Amino acid sequence: MSDPDEVRTHCPYCALQCGTVLARKGEDRVSVRPDDAFPVNQGGLCRKGWTAPAVLEVHDRLRTPLVRAANGDLAPASWDTALDTVAERLLRIRADHGPDAVAVFGGGGLTNEKAYLLGKFARLALGTRNIDYNGRFCMASAAAAGRAAFGVDRGLPFPVADVGRADVVLLAGANPAETMPPLMRHLEHPDLVVIDPRRTPTARAAALHLQPSPGTDLALALGLLHIAVVDGLIDADYLRARTTGFDAARQTALSWWPERVEQVTGVPVPAQREAVRRLASARRAYVLTGRGAEQHSKGTDTVGAFINLALVLGLPGREGSGYGTLTGQGNGQGGRELGQKSDQLPGSRSITDPRARTEVAEVWGVSADALPGAGPSAYELLDSLGAPGGPRALLVFGSNPVVSAPHAGNVAERLAALDLLVVADFVPSETVALADVVFPVTQWAEEEGTLTNLEGRVVRRRALVPPPPGVRSDLEVLGGLAARLGEPAGRYPSRPSAVFEELRRATRGGRADYSGVTYARLDAGEALHWPCPERPGEPHPGTPRLFLDGFAHSDGRARFADVEHRPAAETPDSAFPLLATTGRVLAQYQSGAQTRRVPELNDAAGEMYVEVHPDTMRRSGLTDGALARVTSVRGSTVARVRAVADMRPDTVFLPFHFAGSGRANLLTNPALDPRSKMPEFKVCAVRIEPCRTAS
Ligand SMILES: Nc1nc2c(c(=O)[nH]1)N[C@H]1C(S)=C(S)[C@@H](COP(=O)(O)OP(=O)(O)OC[C@H]3O[C@@H](n4cnc5c(=O)[nH]c(N)nc54)[C@H](O)[C@@H]3O)O[C@H]1N2
Ligand SMILES: Nc1nc2c(c(=O)[nH]1)N[C@H]1C(S)=C(S)[C@@H](COP(=O)(O)OP(=O)(O)OC[C@H]3O[C@@H](n4cnc5c(=O)[nH]c(N)nc54)[C@H](O)[C@@H]3O)O[C@H]1N2
Ligand code: SF4
Ligand SMILES: [Mo]
């Protein structure tokens, strides 16, 4: 089969999964343009999308397996040597320490096929309960809260395009003008109410900006609920017909009167009132949360409180209104529901549910007893590596935790304490640099598959170009290892379409049911949002809008969350008097492993910096443009000072895209949310001082 000259596919990066058309541009080169027909990006792409082809040709692309040699260096090896080495060492570790001594860390950028096969490989070929993924650092709080409230966790339970027809959209802790620029096309018409401690480009586009102190959104959401209740703005018919648990939520909210909320959050009373008035008077309104509200040790409760606000106003499950979370990674949605999350089996099923275990085991051709139970969450897993009783080997697919995990200094130490670290990647990331064995893998434009975008829509990734010689797909790596671990032939197909056929069966009957989705339907241009069960006769059209007829709990009702505010796990004191928060800039993606290799993106944002209010800068003896050392109780980071006049004086902001001594995560607090196990990326206590040495 000859390769096509042009394919429709999707951007390799974020959950918007902007539609793109890739074309050949001379020998081995690829050009990209937006796919005007795709309704999510409507012909738009951000700078990362436009420059994505550059990642295919980075000068240090991994092209051969690497095995750490006796002299300590990573040295090129054949595929057989690399696969044999890993399999032999895994077998030995398992024989000596048991199956849980081998762990797996996955990623929300992996296709559905890879995520599914990785989960199956961990549970069957390795027999370990120790698998989790970077989505735990991303979507976990919103997923836990959404599931508790509605019975199912799909990021947006409605198409993105619906949001454009709203009158008002509340964005709590999201900065889509930088993190999902084409989404802003849908946010031009609605009035925006933005909650963010920083005056971001999104906040500047808003009708109203509330600027709370980091870590106080829960108090703010309770306060907004208070105003809605006291001012009689609630939808009583909706509450009666469609919800339960309002009384307890109302009781808690009553003690969060506006002046008290102002004291805790710093948001003035009139701004609180205006936010509620705007939302309540809209005919169509959405409440959307992002990582700013979610990445806290109380992220699940905070999202619960924002859902409560949406519920009293009667928004969820009504066409043209609703609550949603803006999922982050390209396949953040599919990545969790297909089995990389430690507590889930394919189809968004619970790994502790006996029926779910039986159903999935049947598809896998094993008995349910063969499946391990639930394992620890991402940070707990990383923190246990190489510790007494903890895993001795780790396989990483699609993450760069040396840069992106909280308390990164500790994580790097734990990785170094392993007997075996194996990483599959296409660039030499900071985590690759620590590996004992490295597998060079294919990337987006070289492979087929599917991802599930932020609106639960399954999209097709298509190959335009062949992978460079010497590079294999993640699926082939798993298959190669499985065979050497003695798994039956055929259990780990390496063709994406074959894996998809199997995952359709494995999700059948689950909450996230993909059984009616096929490559043929997607290739014919159908828009399929899960659940999309297979059925005889007329194919199921998929479910773009959930909850219109009822929520996914057995009584069809949404549940109010009974939540109370609490302070962040770490609050400022005399040694660490400032709050640090972290997040993203337009031109870099995540740990930066991909985007720091694209020259055009580095011109825009090429170096670690810290945003500081001018007063704070002066008080700390800093100079705009000079280097500063930012220190928390866990470590310190070197960053260039940027004076930002509309910053809160009590807060500094650091992007987390940079490596080495510029890692924001050397500072961050791994305090976990008790329900979602999300770390507290968005607030820790720091001090800041001039730095006279460059490193
Ligand atoms: N350019 C770019 N785009 C991306 C990504 C990227 O790395 N770069 N990553 C993708 C992924 S995986 C994700 S998860 C999404 C994330 O998308 P967003 O959630 O939009 O991104 P963040 O910058 O992490 O956080 C959003 C905002 O939260 C604010 N914030 C900080 N602390 C608080 C707080 O306590 N309360 C409130 N209300 N706000 C707070 C920050 O100032 C920031 O502006 O972006 C996706 N898109
Ligand atoms: N301080 C702070 N830290 C954060 C956050 C924050 O807001 N603040 N946000 C958190 C969030 S929301 C997220 S999602 C994480 C993300 O952080 P990471 O998990 O580190 O995400 P990436 O940088 O996307 O890392 C993906 C790695 O996998 C590789 N890769 C990409 N696709 C594939 C593939 O298909 N197969 C294989 N084998 N490899 C692939 C890439 O080259 C890259 O090296 O960071 C978290 N860390
Ligand atoms: S918004 Fe996200 S999906 Fe769209 S082009 Fe940018 S990075 Fe790619
Ligand atoms: Mo994310």
Side-chain angles (χ1 to χ4, degrees):
M1 201 177 72
S2 72
D3 292 314
D5 290 330
E6 200 171 277
V7 295
R8 270 173 211 288
T9 185
H10 296 267
C11 173
Y13 297 118
C14 86
L16 216 49
Q17 281 300 291
C18 291
T20 56
V21 181
L22 298 185
R24 284 168 188 279
K25 192 173 87 179
E27 209 175 313
D28 288 345
R29 312 233 23 216
V30 172
S31 76
V32 65
R33 63 174 195 271
D35 175 355
D36 294 331
F38 194 62
V40 174
N41 52 312
Q42 297 186 333
L45 287 184
C46 80
R47 217 179 288 164
K48 297 185 300 301
W50 280 112
T51 55
V55 185
L56 297 167
E57 354 178 313
V58 292
H59 73 280
D60 56 354
R61 173 85 193 255
L62 295 173
R63 290 164 191 275
T64 169
L66 303 170
V67 176
R68 200 164 290 281
N71 69 359
D73 291 344
L74 278 173
S78 72
W79 272 96
D80 276 336
T81 305
L83 289 165
D84 288 345
T85 305
V86 172
E88 275 162 26
R89 293 177 67 178
L90 290 178
L91 287 170
R92 199 171 337 125
I93 289 169
R94 188 161 74 182
D96 291 350
H97 304 279
D100 288 336
V102 179
V104 174
F105 199 85
L110 301 181
T111 59
N112 287 321
E113 292 77 2
K114 296 177 186 186
Y116 169 81
L117 208 69
L118 187 63
K120 179 180 179 183
F121 175 84
R123 270 105 185 193
L124 291 192
L126 301 174
T128 181
R129 63 198 266 277
N130 285 317
I131 170 169
D132 210 49
Y133 78 126
N134 66 9
R136 183 74 74 163
F137 297 157
C138 181
M139 306 310 309
S141 289
R147 179 174 288 219
F150 307 124
V152 66
D153 55 311
R154 201 178 89 188
L156 300 183
F158 39 77
V160 163
D162 282 10
V163 181
R165 292 188 287 274
D167 306 308
V168 177
V169 175
L170 175 98
L171 289 167
N175 179 20
E178 292 194 82
T179 54
M180 300 185 177
L183 183 67
M184 295 307 279
R185 293 169 180 236
H186 299 277
L187 298 178
E188 270 166 24
H189 166 70
D191 282 339
L192 301 183
V193 177
V194 170
I195 304 176
D196 196 309
R198 296 188 304 140
R199 193 151 174 80
T200 59
T202 312
R204 274 187 223 117
L208 177 66
H209 175 205
L210 312 185
Q211 209 168 350
S213 175
T216 63
D217 296 74
L218 183 44
L220 181 57
L222 289 167
L224 301 182
L225 185 63
H226 176 104
I227 294 171
V229 169
V230 169
D231 291 359
L233 299 172
I234 64 178
D235 185 338
D237 291 340
Y238 173 96
L239 293 182
R240 245 189 321 276
R242 304 202 57 180
T243 70
T244 63
F246 173 53
D247 286 342
R250 177 176 165 276
Q251 217 45 52
T252 311
L254 283 179
S255 67
W256 285 95
W257 57 93
E259 293 74 15
R260 182 180 178 206
V261 171
E262 174 169 338
Q263 222 168 43
V264 171
T265 66
V267 177
V269 172
Q272 297 174 39
R273 291 198 184 284
E274 189 188 339
V276 179
R277 186 188 55 73
R278 280 180 180 274
L279 270 178
S281 59
R283 271 180 314 111
R284 295 159 160 259
Y286 289 90
V287 172
L288 304 179
T289 58
R291 303 305 84 74
E294 299 166 7
Q295 289 172 324
H296 293 274
S297 60
K298 55 176 177 295
T300 309
D301 287 356
T302 302
V303 174
F306 280 110
I307 293 175
N308 286 354
L309 176 66
L311 288 173
V312 291
L313 300 173
L315 307 181
R318 224 175 70 201
E319 187 153 356
S321 293
Y323 162 79
T325 176
L326 296 168
T327 301
Q329 298 180 86
N331 198 29
Q333 182 74 52
R336 79 165 166 274
E337 62 216 9
L338 292 169
Q340 294 183 85
K341 192 157 177 260
S342 69
D343 54 355
Q344 286 191 11
L345 288 172
S348 200
R349 290 169 160 103
S350 166
I351 200 167
T352 52
D353 170 6
R355 202 173 122 200
R357 292 171 66 84
T358 307
E359 287 166 351
V360 173
E362 205 173 285
V363 175
W364 288 354
V366 298
S367 87
D369 313 333
L371 302 183
S377 72
Y379 184 76
E380 296 169 304
L381 177 60
L382 293 172
D383 189 39
S384 71
L385 299 175
R392 318 276 342 148
L394 178 72
L395 279 59
V396 179
F397 282 78
S399 183
N400 186 12
V402 171
V403 174
S404 58
H407 195 358
N410 177 51
V411 168
E413 276 176 30
R414 298 326 316 156
L415 292 172
L418 287 167
D419 298 338
L420 177 67
L421 174 62
V422 179
V423 183
D425 209 312
F426 39 77
V427 290
S429 73
E430 289 69 24
T431 305
V432 164
L434 296 183
D436 301 295
V437 180
V438 179
F439 293 120
V441 292
T442 55
Q443 46 174 312
W444 59 297
E446 300 157 356
E447 59 187 28
E448 301 281 327
T450 61
L451 294 87
T452 305
N453 80 349
L454 78 173
E455 46 175 18
R457 174 176 172 152
V458 184
V459 303
R460 274 281 273 124
R461 170 177 284 187
R462 295 189 180 87
L464 176 73
V465 289
V471 163
R472 294 188 184 173
S473 73
D474 291 292
L475 299 180
E476 288 170 319
V477 173
L478 293 173
L481 287 176
R484 287 166 175 81
L485 293 170
E487 285 287 284
R491 190 174 263 182
Y492 301 89
S494 60
R495 258 188 324 116
S497 56
V499 179
F500 193 81
E501 283 304 306
E502 185 182 313
L503 79 81
R504 289 177 58 204
R505 286 191 284 125
T507 61
R508 175 173 296 148
R511 281 181 276 221
D513 190 330
Y514 286 60
S515 62
V517 182
T518 63
Y519 276 24
R521 292 184 73 185
L522 295 172
D523 290 344
E526 283 194 74
L528 298 175
H529 301 246
W530 68 253
C532 180
E534 187 173 34
R535 63 182 188 193
E538 182 92 359
H540 191 286
T543 315
R545 294 176 190 83
L546 286 168
F547 313 143
L548 295 184
D549 304 323
F551 297 100
H553 290 300
S554 54
D555 59 3
R557 289 167 178 272
R559 310 248 180 290
F560 273 90
D562 186 6
V563 293
E564 180 55 289
H565 178 69
R566 56 186 185 273
E570 190 172 276
T571 49
D573 58 20
S574 54
F576 303 103
L578 294 167
L579 294 164
T581 191
T582 63
R584 297 164 163 79
V585 301
L586 174 58
Q588 296 291 344
Y589 190 69
Q590 314 278 58
S591 72
Q594 295 164 82
T595 47
R596 279 186 276 115
R597 293 184 155 76
V598 178
E600 291 103 303
L601 298 178
N602 283 339
D603 291 347
E607 179 190 40
M608 181 59 178
Y609 68 89
V610 53
E611 292 183 3
V612 189
H613 188 277
D615 292 348
T616 311
M617 202 179 80
R618 275 188 293 274
R619 245 185 299 122
S620 311
L622 303 170
T623 318
D624 193 13
L627 290 178
R629 183 175 296 282
V630 187
T631 305
S632 79
V633 72
R634 288 161 295 278
S636 79
T637 298
V638 177
R640 204 163 285 285
V641 175
R642 278 197 195 169
V644 176
D646 48 24
M647 189 77 194
R648 290 178 59 99
D650 62 359
T651 303
V652 299
F653 170 80
L654 305 105
F656 79 99
H657 310 296
F658 300 97
S661 62
R663 278 174 290 168
N665 279 318
L666 293 170
L667 308 174
T668 49
N669 188 354
L672 301 183
D673 179 303
R675 293 165 68 194
S676 65
K677 306 298 166 107
M678 167 71 82
E680 190 130 273
F681 285 119
K682 287 294 193 260
V683 51
C684 68
V686 297
R687 68 166 174 269
I688 183 163
E689 58 216 343
C691 171
R692 294 183 216 290
T693 52
S695 60

